[in-house]
Structure formats: C-alpha cells, structure tokens
Amino acid sequence: VGQWFPKLGVHEPAGTRGKLKAQLARFHAWHRREELPRYAALLSGAGERLDRGLAREDVAWAIAAVRARFQVTVEQAVDEFAPVAASFRPDNLAALERKLAESNEKFAQEFLSGDPAKQTRARAKRLTGWFDDWLGSVTSEQEALIVRFAQAQPQLNQIRLDDRKRRQQAFVQLL
C-alpha cells in the first residue's frame, strides 16, 4: 500500500513516514502466518468437493468461505492501518480520489471500449502480464493458452469496473 501512494500521486501524511511500511510488513506477516494456512485448507476442501462432483451447496459453501476469509482480512487491515488512516488530510483523500478516477477511466478505455475482440485481447494481455509478474516470462505456448482462456470467458468488464469502484469507495471511506 505504501508503495502505491506515490504512484497514485498521493504522499503519506506528515508524521507517518515509514509507519505505513512497518504496518504493512506486520499485516503481511500476520496474513502469511494466519490466513495462508486457512486458504490451503479451503482449497483442499474445494478439491475434495470437486472430486466428488460439484453441487449447488458446494458453490454456496465456497462463496461463504471466501466471504468469511475476506471479512477477517479486512478487519485485521482496519485494525492495522487505522492510525495512519486517521492522519489523512482532505488533500490526501482528494488526490487519492482523483487518481482512482483516472485509473478507472483508463480501465474503461482499455477494457470497455471497442469491439468484443479488442476487449478480449486487452484481457489476455493483462492476464499474461499477471502471469509474467507471478511466475516469470510465459512461453508462447502458455500465452496461447491464456488467450484461449480469455476468449472462453464471458465479458464481465463492466461488472469488474463497478465492483472496483465500489471497493475503492469503501476504501476511501475507511480513510
């Protein structure tokens, strides 16, 4: 989070320099220690359910489990970052809101404009970038798989943008 603020044109409030980075490190350590084992158990349970055949109850279970983990994570994040968030001034928040709006406009131009084929290419490019970031450079065969995956998925970009805006607004309200 601390590294994103300068990229967004937002600077840490006066008197908090370094605190955000330390709080982020504590939050990540908590997340690795407490939540990642729970995610592994959740995925193991999901695998067992898939092996026996997915039913409507399994989908409801997965949604409830993910929501529960998300809620715990958000509560921990609020506890961890509240002191820094409380120090944000109106100009910090205004700058953050401007940058988020610019980012959303860029998202809309990239993923909602043009024909569906252009949107699919943009989605495949974004996915390939994520895989590059996570796993290193993808091969041309892997990139072809990513493109086929993007083509097979429904066009949910407007839903993604709406959800993104909702999450951003909730984040700004927390600050």
Side-chain angles (χ1 to χ4, degrees):
V1 172
Q3 68 207 27
W4 299 337
F5 285 135
K7 291 177 185 176
L8 290 171
V10 178
H11 302 287
E12 287 184 63
T16 65
R17 174 122 3 251
K19 289 181 183 177
L20 188 58
K21 188 174 183 178
Q23 287 168 312
L24 186 59
R26 279 195 308 272
F27 177 75
H28 279 176
W30 167 85
H31 192 264
R32 283 189 299 274
R33 183 181 65 252
E34 300 294 330
E35 288 301 297
L36 291 184
R38 288 181 172 92
Y39 295 167
L42 177 66
L43 291 173
S44 178
E48 291 169 8
R49 288 168 182 263
L50 283 172
D51 287 345
R52 70 172 186 255
L54 197 60
R56 181 181 201 93
E57 298 79 30
D58 297 317
V59 174
W61 168 83
I63 291 170
V66 168
R67 285 182 176 159
R69 299 293 13 115
F70 178 76
Q71 184 65 35
V72 168
T73 301
V74 167
E75 288 171 4
Q76 181 69 25
V78 167
D79 288 346
E80 193 67 49
F81 297 107
V84 170
S87 67
F88 267 57
R89 299 181 320 262
D91 61 315
N92 296 119
L93 294 175
L96 177 61
E97 287 177 317
R98 278 192 308 275
K99 291 299 182 174
L100 291 173
E102 291 170 13
S103 175
N104 289 334
E105 180 60 32
K106 181 180 176 187
F107 179 94
Q109 288 175 356
E110 187 172 350
F111 295 106
L112 294 175
S113 65
D115 61 34
K118 178 184 178 252
Q119 293 174 17
T120 298
R121 284 190 304 274
R123 198 167 62 232
K125 181 179 176 183
R126 178 179 43 86
L127 288 170
T128 300
W130 285 350
F131 278 103
D132 279 344
D133 289 345
W134 294 337
L135 307 171
S137 296
V138 298
T139 66
S140 57
E141 293 84 12
Q142 291 168 325
E143 188 170 351
L145 284 171
I146 293 168
V147 168
R148 284 199 304 270
F149 173 80
Q151 291 168 336
Q153 301 307 304
Q155 295 287 346
L156 300 175
N157 293 330
Q158 184 62 55
I159 293 169
R160 286 185 58 233
L161 180 60
D162 293 344
D163 186 55
R164 172 186 172 130
K165 287 178 177 179
R166 181 191 55 74
R167 286 182 284 116
Q168 290 169 348
Q169 186 61 38
F171 175 70
V172 169
Q173 286 176 349
L174 281 173
L175 296 175

